[in-house]
Amino acid sequence: MTSRFGFHPVALGVRFILELVALVCFGVWAWHVSPGALRYVAAVAVPLAVAVLWGVFATPGDASRSGETVIATPGPLRFLLELAVFFGGAAALFAAGVRVPAAVLAGVLVVYHVLSWDRVLWLLKH
């Protein structure tokens, strides 16, 4: 299974970078929409909340992760969560007024998910 693109170590490395970028995007958005000193708290709390949700809900046996999970999540639901985190990050960046990088990120995410079709199909079947 690890020889297919969606599970290849390079693709997983790219995915990890995209995850970090999404979290930063949520932090930028939280900073932008929060008033005064609250923005410092929000810029940390929002990405942290997203990261916790991201890490807690997983599909058992997912070779792109440890295969373990805190809350077993059906693959299709996990895929929706992934789309919400990745594209939600791009949408958050767009909402913060950083439109060109948000559009570029959305394009990169589309390409990444198309190239990772084998992992997407695995999730949809599990």
Side-chain angles (χ1 to χ4, degrees):
M1 179 181 291
T2 57
S3 64
R4 296 184 296 177
F5 182 82
F7 297 97
H8 191 277
V10 172
L12 296 177
V14 168
R15 181 169 157 229
F16 178 69
I17 291 168
L18 291 172
E19 292 169 6
L20 294 178
V21 168
L23 294 175
V24 168
C25 291
F26 282 108
V28 168
W29 172 80
W31 177 272
H32 179 76
V33 300
S34 301
L38 182 59
R39 65 179 35 171
Y40 293 97
V41 174
V44 173
V46 170
L48 184 60
V50 172
V52 167
L53 287 173
W54 180 255
V56 169
F57 296 96
T59 303
D62 185 353
S64 69
R65 299 172 45 99
S66 66
E68 298 176 11
T69 182
V70 176
I71 299 175
T73 307
L77 184 57
R78 172 60 189 197
F79 182 58
L80 289 176
L81 176 62
E82 289 186 12
L83 292 178
V85 169
F86 284 130
F87 288 95
L93 201 59
F94 189 86
V98 190
R99 289 182 163 67
V100 172
V104 170
L105 177 58
V108 168
L109 290 169
V110 168
V111 170
Y112 172 79
H113 282 89
V114 167
L115 291 175
S116 298
W117 62 270
D118 55 327
R119 182 173 179 281
V120 171
L121 287 178
W122 184 90
L123 282 172
L124 294 176
K125 292 177 182 177
H126 290 85

